[in-house]
Amino acid sequence: MAPSLSGTAQRRTLALVPAVLVVLVGGLGYERARNLVRDVGEAERSHAVIERSEELLTRTVDAETGQRGYLLLGDSLFLDPYRGAKADVAKSIDSLRPLVRDEPSQMSRLDTIAAVTADRFALLEAGIARVTRGDLASARDRTRIAQGKQKMDKLRGIIRSLQTYERGLLAERHAAEQRSVRNATLIVVPAAIIAILLSALINLAFSSAIRERDAANAGLKEVNEDLEQQSEQLQMQAAEMESQAAELEATAEDLRATNEMLGQTTRAAEAARDAAESARRQLELVLDNLPDAACVFDAGWHWTYINPTCRRMLASIGIDSSRLRGRVLWDAIPQLRDTRFEERARRAAAAGEAVELEDYFPRLDAWLENSIVPYAAGVMTFTRNVTRRKREQQGAQLLGDASRLLATTLDYEKTLQAVARLAVGELADWCAVDLIDESGAVRQVVVAHKDEAKISWAKELNKRYPPNYDGPTGVGHVIRSGEPEIYPDISDAMLVASARDPEHLALMRELQIRSALIVPMIARGRTLGALTLISTEIGRRYGEQDQLLALELATRAAIAIDNAQLYRGALAASEAKSAFLATISHELRTPLNAIIGYASLLEEGIEGALSQAQAAQLGRIRISASHLLGLIDEVLTFSRVDAGKEVVQRSHVNVREIVAEAAAMVAHSAGEKGLELRVDTPDIRMTTDAGKLRQILLNLLSNAIKFSDKGEIAVTAREEDGEVAITVADQGIGIAPDNLDRVFDPFWQVEQRSTRRVGGTGLGLSVSRSLARLLGGDVTVESSLGKGSAFTLTLPGQPA
């Protein structure tokens, strides 16, 4: 049924309805299209921020790579990409500012990026400057490199935060675009359809009314004209609707372009996801092949990755790594709670800075070096077993300290106590030393523990249950065989087998012995005793490296014991020698004095006159006896000095008088050989032992006469720099350069042939130097073979 219309105003009103709908649809479509274009523009801006921030990070890494190449190779070609990257970084920061100026948080992040970048380039410039100056060690300093790494890690974190924020905005804008397209479609299309339907209904109503009015009243021409005008308006509205349709088509084209852009963005996101997955696989491949144990945790310390080395390390302490993924570290290994490792690891994660930690882990009996490296999604840990290096360092330190202690004294029992205390803590919980005494029996001389009460308890235990040194194993067997014994794990069954009664077993169980090591103490092929080390720690098990260290320690201790025993024997021999020399010299002096006395009586003719021949022979007897008496005095002096029994008696002396007395005593001997004796000494006064000074000069003068056949013997003295120097120079046979130091050795002479031209004990120069040093001075020599020698006595010039 066609609708019926009455009234001109009503018809006109109905005619305006389609036009109003078309205008509303057009306006609504225009507004939706403008919102869509704005959202697309914001999405493009976010993409630009992400791309330029990524380019900034890439160029910063390029700059760091160029600087590192210059540090490693010193080639200035690496500075070209470095400088280009530095300029690009500044441009990237400037281009980002207008893009984020409407986002205060992003502007703050950009300011932080600019500051961190400036700090990083300052560190890079400083490293380049040091390489340019040639200071490679400082430029490659690990601390400086770590500072640079911290700056780069901070820069990456800030850029990732900026990008994450922009990606959030991008996701919101994509969602807004989709909503705009959907809402425009839902509103514009139904509105257009309604407008078309209303226009059709109105046209139908108008047509019906015109037919009715034409049939009823032909005079309604004015109404027809109105209808014609309305028809024209409808045509105009139809044209306008066509225009709106064209606009809708353009909007649809824009939507298709937006969908294409969204598709490209989706494909780029998928490519980025694929790249990230590839990077993750590559990282896991690298971590899988690391010799260090590597683990990756998320922000909540849940395990996300464990490499094979770490799996083996965990398996060695009874932890199944296949059940750890997703579990919290501190729950999976509760032994790590409240340790230095947990404290440093949590601090590193909170501060976002890498830390390194080296610590001993008893359950593994190992020293582990841990590197804790935070990253955007959590923390990575890298663990290296440095037990061998630490054991070597501790062993070297222990051996060095032991050597110093062993060299400080010849009282080896006290020294062994100190060495045993050194071993306790570093190498063992208990340390004992058993030695073979002079009777051949084995006795325990040292037992050490960080708790003095336990030492007393152990000594009491040894009294109640003396060690069985005749058994097939243990200390006695090690001493007899000279071979070490090592017990990595001591079981309760081993304790039961070695216990003598239930009480003994209970006491040994109380010791909580976990591992033991017994090594022989060998010096010069002779076993002097054994060193025993005992560990009571749960994780400590003795191995080959511990055995080598213990053997070296035992060998050094054995050498010290042997040296002490040799020294004591040498002291006893020296005392016996000195006593023998003193006794034999005393026994020789008594008859010799009688011979000299009676010879003097005979020479004086008391018992009657002697013939010339008898007097000459008697003179030779007296001279020989006097010479022998001098030799005996020389031996006695040597024995007293060697035994440390020579006494110094100081007095005020005149050097000129002492020299003159000594020269007068040897003048006859020099004249017999045709030697000229010249004395040139100023008036020098000093405080010293006059008798010993005279004896030294007599020895030097006698030695010069003995080895000279012509020329002169000159005695000169001088005083300078607080010292008095007296020189005895001759023109005799001289001394070869190789023998200059040996002439002062006891019993050594320049002429070593069995038929020497001169006699003597070979003690004169040795006694002279010993007496000079006893007086605070020394005797030195300068000589040329065949040209003579000059011996100089130097004494402190103490004023008289």
Side-chain angles (χ1 to χ4, degrees), residues 575-708:
E575 291 177 359
K577 177 199 69 176
S578 298
F580 170 76
L581 289 176
T583 300
I584 196 65
S585 298
H586 178 73
E587 295 299 324
L588 288 174
R589 281 175 65 90
T590 301
L592 191 57
N593 285 328
I595 292 172
I596 294 172
Y598 283 115
S600 298
L601 292 175
L602 290 174
E603 282 184 322
E604 293 175 2
I606 294 176
E607 298 295 332
L610 299 176
S611 65
Q612 186 176 359
Q614 289 174 333
Q617 292 172 358
L618 191 60
R620 292 190 182 96
I621 292 173
R622 185 178 57 79
I623 290 172
S624 297
S626 297
H627 178 68
L628 182 57
L629 183 61
L631 294 179
I632 293 172
D633 287 337
E634 199 171 65
V635 172
L636 282 172
T637 302
F638 173 76
S639 65
R640 288 196 303 271
V641 172
D642 190 49
K645 297 179 179 179
E646 187 69 15
V647 179
V648 176
Q649 296 179 347
R650 300 186 184 275
S651 62
H652 301 319
V653 300
N654 187 312
V655 175
R656 177 188 289 175
E657 294 177 357
I658 298 295
V659 172
E661 291 174 3
M665 296 174 71
V666 298
H668 179 72
S669 299
E672 287 184 343
K673 296 188 71 173
L675 300 173
E676 180 184 352
L677 185 59
R678 181 172 59 87
V679 178
D680 181 13
T681 57
D683 187 14
I684 300 174
R685 299 180 183 275
M686 62 185 299
T687 300
T688 188
D689 190 317
K692 290 180 175 54
L693 174 58
R694 185 183 300 107
Q695 186 174 354
I696 294 170
L697 292 174
L698 279 173
N699 288 344
L700 296 180
L701 287 167
S702 300
N703 203 61
I705 294 170
K706 188 186 302 182
F707 292 101
S708 298

Side-chain angles (χ1 to χ4, degrees), residues 727-738:
T727 301
V728 177
D730 63 62
Q731 298 173 354
I733 63 175
I735 306 169
D738 294 341

Side-chain angles (χ1 to χ4, degrees), residues 214-284:
D214 286 340
N217 189 2
L220 297 176
K221 185 178 180 179
E222 294 180 358
V223 175
N224 289 334
E225 292 177 355
D226 291 338
L227 289 175
E228 289 177 358
Q229 292 177 356
Q230 292 176 6
S231 177
E232 290 176 358
Q233 290 176 356
L234 287 174
Q235 290 176 357
M236 292 175 63
Q237 292 173 2
E240 189 172 351
M241 289 181 65
E242 289 178 358
S243 175
Q244 292 292 331
E247 290 181 2
L248 289 174
E249 182 64 26
T251 301
E253 184 64 28
D254 290 340
L255 290 175
R256 283 193 294 272
T258 301
N259 288 333
E260 180 64 25
M261 186 179 298
L262 289 174
Q264 293 176 356
T265 302
T266 301
R267 288 191 294 273
E270 291 175 350
R273 183 189 61 201
D274 293 341
E277 180 64 22
S278 176
R280 185 188 64 79
R281 288 194 299 269
Q282 290 178 359
L283 176 60
E284 288 189 358

Side-chain angles (χ1 to χ4, degrees), residues 69 116 141 187 291 325 374 503 579 621 636 658 670 685 691 724 794:
V116 173
D141 180 65
I187 295 174
R325 188 179 293 273
E503 184 180 0
I621 292 173
L636 282 172
I658 298 295
R685 299 180 183 275
V724 175
T794 305

Side-chain angles (χ1 to χ4, degrees), residues 86-103:
K86 181 179 180 181
D88 291 344
V89 168
K91 292 178 182 178
S92 297
I93 292 174
D94 293 338
S95 64
L96 282 169
R97 291 189 183 280
L99 294 176
V100 299
R101 62 175 177 268
D102 296 329
E103 296 291 337

Side-chain angles (χ1 to χ4, degrees), residues 35 85 173 202 218 281 343 397 415 418 442 477 515 647 714 743 775 797:
N35 291 339
R173 287 158 185 164
I202 291 171
R281 288 194 299 269
E343 186 268 329
Q397 180 67 33
T415 307
V442 180
H477 181 261
S515 186
V647 179
V743 295
L775 297 176

Side-chain angles (χ1 to χ4, degrees), residues 420-482:
R421 284 194 293 270
L422 275 179
V424 169
E426 294 290 343
L427 196 57
D429 298 299
W430 288 91
C431 179
V433 178
D434 297 83
L435 296 180
I436 302 175
D437 61 18
E438 295 178 355
S439 65
V442 180
R443 65 185 181 89
Q444 188 175 85
V445 296
V446 173
V447 60
H449 191 278
K450 53 189 173 183
D451 187 350
E452 290 294 332
K454 288 192 175 183
I455 295 176
S456 301
W457 177 78
K459 290 180 178 179
E460 183 63 27
L461 178 63
N462 273 349
K463 290 180 181 179
R464 294 173 59 186
Y465 298 97
N468 180 16
Y469 295 113
D470 298 324
T473 60
V475 172
H477 181 261
V478 169
I479 293 176
R480 290 192 302 273
S481 65

